[in-house]
Amino acid sequence: MLARKSIIPEEYVLARIAAENLRKPRIRDRPRKARFIAKNGACNLAHKNIREQGRFLQDIFTTLVDLKWRHTLVIFTMSFLCSWLLFAMMWWLVAFAHGDMDPSTESTRTARSTPCVTCVRSFTSAFLFSIEVQVTIGFGGRMMTEECPLAITVLILQNIVGLIINAVMLGCIFMKTAQAHRRAETLIFSRQAVIAVRNGKLCFMFRVGDLRKSMIISASVRIQVVRKTTTPEGEVIPIHQVDIPVDNPIESNNIFLVAPLIICHVIDKRSPLYDISAADLVLQDLELIVILEGVVETTGITTQARTSYIAEEILWGHRFVPIVTEEEGVYAVDYSKFGNTVKVAAPRCSARELDEKPSILIQTLQKSELSHQNSLRKRNSMRRNNSIRRSNSMRRTNPSLIVPKVQFITPEGSQSASET
């Protein structure tokens, strides 16, 4: 309004608005990258616009196993109900074609007019007889005779169909209860990974453990780095996977997972983390996928456990605390400290700079040793001061601890008092 009435020039108003906008800081958080593998091992991937849906029906058994439990139970129930109803209709038609449904023939029936199935006079009785045949209950009230060859054919067909349904549905339920990912629920990974110095090299480390006493046979660990890359030709690869080696003294690359282990990857020239420093790690758009594979000892089924670590979940300059102790001749594992870490001295530079300038590691360790000695001195001085204060307070509160004054008389007659 003021600008319109020419009391305040319009140029001044626009300049003031622009200055206020510049003063207000605009903080925009970096958009969080979607994980390719969740912490629980689930793949964060959605399949869309699949046109050839018939391929799933070609492998019907795997499709049934992959369904959710509620869908599997519905299909299990409906498969038996539909088969019972279908063959109940066929038994009713057989009895109706033979004339067993006519109530007028019930009183005039002779030995020659034997029914195909005894005591089947309605669709309900035919449905009950269908259940007895397929489930082999056999209550004894309804039975088939040799009067109708068609009824014998229906009996053979229903037995074959019933066996197929039993085999397929029971096999699906067994496979769902014994799936490999169920065993992976007791294979745990540390929530965070660390980067620290081990044997003079920067190493990427994480901890893995098994909660069950039954072991994983031929267990192996693989690590992959997933990141978005662009080729020199300009092609964008959204999910570029790179395998990185795992430091394992055993040539077969298998681990003996009897207790929690710290898996180590040495950051060398072959590693994608070779040029990344502590400051660059926060800005990196990468994800490290960890895959643990092995054979379940009790069932012999191959299982796989997965997890991933993004840049925010990697702690630079930390180390896992020890959790395995020996107590009364038995090794005990304290899982309450499974993911606990402590801060240690580690150079903040990249592994390439550390290889080019080995003195950086020496300087870092020396600084760490000096700071450790200073902290010990401060701690000792604080303990000494606390002990002195405690002794003084005890003397004030307890008068019996105070030493009395003693007077000494010299031959000259002068008196001197000294306090001890």
Side-chain angles (χ1 to χ4, degrees):
M1 295 296 294
L2 295 177
R4 290 180 181 178
K5 292 181 180 180
S6 301
I7 297 177
I8 298 176
E10 186 176 359
E11 294 80 2
Y12 177 77
V13 175
L14 295 177
R16 185 176 179 180
I17 293 174
E20 290 178 355
N21 292 334
L22 290 174
R23 291 171 189 170
K24 296 179 181 179
R26 296 182 180 180
I27 301 174
R28 294 182 180 179
D29 296 335
R30 187 166 61 95
R32 190 172 183 179
K33 176 181 175 293
R35 306 179 75 108
F36 185 59
I37 299 293
K39 295 299 289 184
N40 59 356
C43 296
N44 187 20
L45 187 66
H47 299 276
K48 296 182 179 180
N49 301 326
I50 300 178
R51 298 179 180 180
E52 299 180 359
Q53 298 288 345
R55 292 182 177 269
F56 295 99
L57 297 178
Q58 295 178 4
D59 189 9
I60 186 65
F61 185 78
T62 305
T63 303
L64 292 175
V65 173
D66 290 340
L67 290 176
K68 295 182 179 181
W69 268 108
R70 56 178 179 267
H71 299 155
T72 303
L73 294 178
V74 169
I75 293 174
F76 179 83
T77 305
M78 293 304 298
S79 62
F80 283 102
L81 285 177
C82 292
S83 64
W84 294 339
L85 289 172
L86 175 63
F87 283 100
M89 180 64 68
M90 297 177 65
W91 288 116
W92 185 83
L93 291 175
V94 169
F96 181 78
H98 192 260
D100 299 338
M101 298 295 179
D102 191 0
S104 60
T105 60
E106 183 69 22
S107 58
T108 61
R109 180 171 292 169
T110 60
R112 294 182 179 180
S113 58
T114 305
C116 294
V117 181
T118 59
C119 300
V120 175
R121 303 182 184 90
S122 62
F123 182 78
T124 304
S125 58
F127 179 73
L128 294 175
F129 180 71
S130 176
I131 296 175
E132 294 178 17
V133 170
Q134 187 164 334
V135 189
T136 63
I137 296 177
F139 291 111
R142 282 171 289 270
M143 59 179 296
M144 197 183 71
T145 62
E146 56 185 12
E147 184 68 19
C148 303
L150 181 60
I152 299 174
T153 305
V154 174
L155 176 65
I156 297 172
L157 182 61
Q158 185 173 5
N159 286 329
I160 295 174
V161 173
L163 289 175
I164 294 175
I165 294 176
N166 288 336
V168 173
M169 298 312 301
L170 293 178
C172 290
I173 292 179
F174 172 76
M175 291 301 297
K176 285 185 71 66
T177 55
Q179 279 184 334
H181 66 85
R182 303 296 179 186
R183 180 61 177 87
E185 295 294 334
T186 54
L187 297 173
I188 57 175
F189 298 89
S190 58
R191 296 289 299 179
Q192 295 174 325
V194 298
I195 293 180
V197 177
R198 175 182 280 190
N199 298 326
K201 297 286 185 180
L202 281 176
C203 298
F204 169 82
M205 294 174 286
F206 60 93
R207 179 173 275 167
V208 60
D210 188 5
L211 299 179
R212 290 187 181 272
K213 290 186 177 180
S214 59
M215 297 179 55
I216 300 295
I217 304 173
S218 301
S220 61
V221 177
R222 294 187 292 114
I223 305 177
Q224 289 184 346
V225 174
V226 177
R227 67 194 330 176
K228 183 179 179 180
T229 59
T230 304
T231 61
E233 294 79 14
E235 180 185 2
V236 178
I237 303 176
I239 303 176
H240 182 59
Q241 303 180 16
V242 179
D243 286 330
I244 59 178
V246 178
D247 185 20
N248 194 350
I250 304 176
E251 295 181 358
S252 60
N253 202 24
N254 293 334
I255 59 175
F256 187 52
L257 196 60
V258 66
L261 299 177
I262 297 176
I263 308 301
C264 176
H265 159 65
V266 179
I267 304 177
D268 52 10
K269 296 180 180 179
R270 301 173 298 171
S271 175
L273 309 176
Y274 189 60
D275 297 324
I276 299 177
S277 62
D280 299 335
L281 181 62
V282 184
L283 305 176
Q284 291 295 318
D285 189 10
L286 56 85
E287 180 179 357
L288 283 87
I289 299 175
V290 179
I291 303 172
L292 172 63
E293 293 179 334
V295 179
V296 182
E297 184 180 18
T298 54
T299 61
I301 300 175
T302 303
T303 185
Q304 184 183 92
R306 300 179 296 267
T307 191
S308 67
Y309 299 98
I310 56 178
E312 290 80 2
E313 297 171 349
I314 302 175
L315 303 178
W316 194 290
H318 284 70
R319 182 184 299 163
F320 288 104
V321 299
I323 61 175
V324 180
T325 57
E326 186 177 356
E327 299 177 358
E328 298 179 357
V330 178
Y331 288 98
V333 180
D334 186 6
Y335 282 98
S336 63
K337 303 177 182 179
F338 184 80
N340 294 357
T341 60
V342 292
K343 202 168 185 179
V344 295
R348 311 290 293 179
C349 63
S350 63
R352 179 185 291 275
E353 296 177 1
L354 188 61
D355 290 344
E356 294 175 354
K357 299 178 181 179
S359 60
I360 298 177
L361 178 59
I362 300 175
Q363 295 175 0
T364 304
L365 295 178
Q366 289 177 352
K367 291 180 181 179
S368 174
E369 184 67 23
L370 290 175
S371 62
H372 181 65
Q373 292 178 359
N374 293 332
S375 63
L376 288 178
R377 290 170 185 168
K378 291 180 181 179
R379 194 178 304 170
N380 294 332
S381 63
M382 290 177 63
R383 290 178 180 175
R384 193 181 303 109
N385 295 334
N386 291 335
S387 62
I388 294 173
R389 291 173 184 173
R390 195 179 300 110
S391 62
N392 292 336
S393 62
M394 291 177 62
R395 288 178 181 178
R396 293 192 191 98
T397 56
N398 194 355
S400 61
L401 297 178
I402 301 176
V403 180
K405 296 181 178 180
V406 181
Q407 294 182 353
F408 296 93
I409 300 175
T410 59
E412 291 78 7
S414 62
Q415 294 181 356
S416 61
S418 63
E419 183 178 350
T420 62

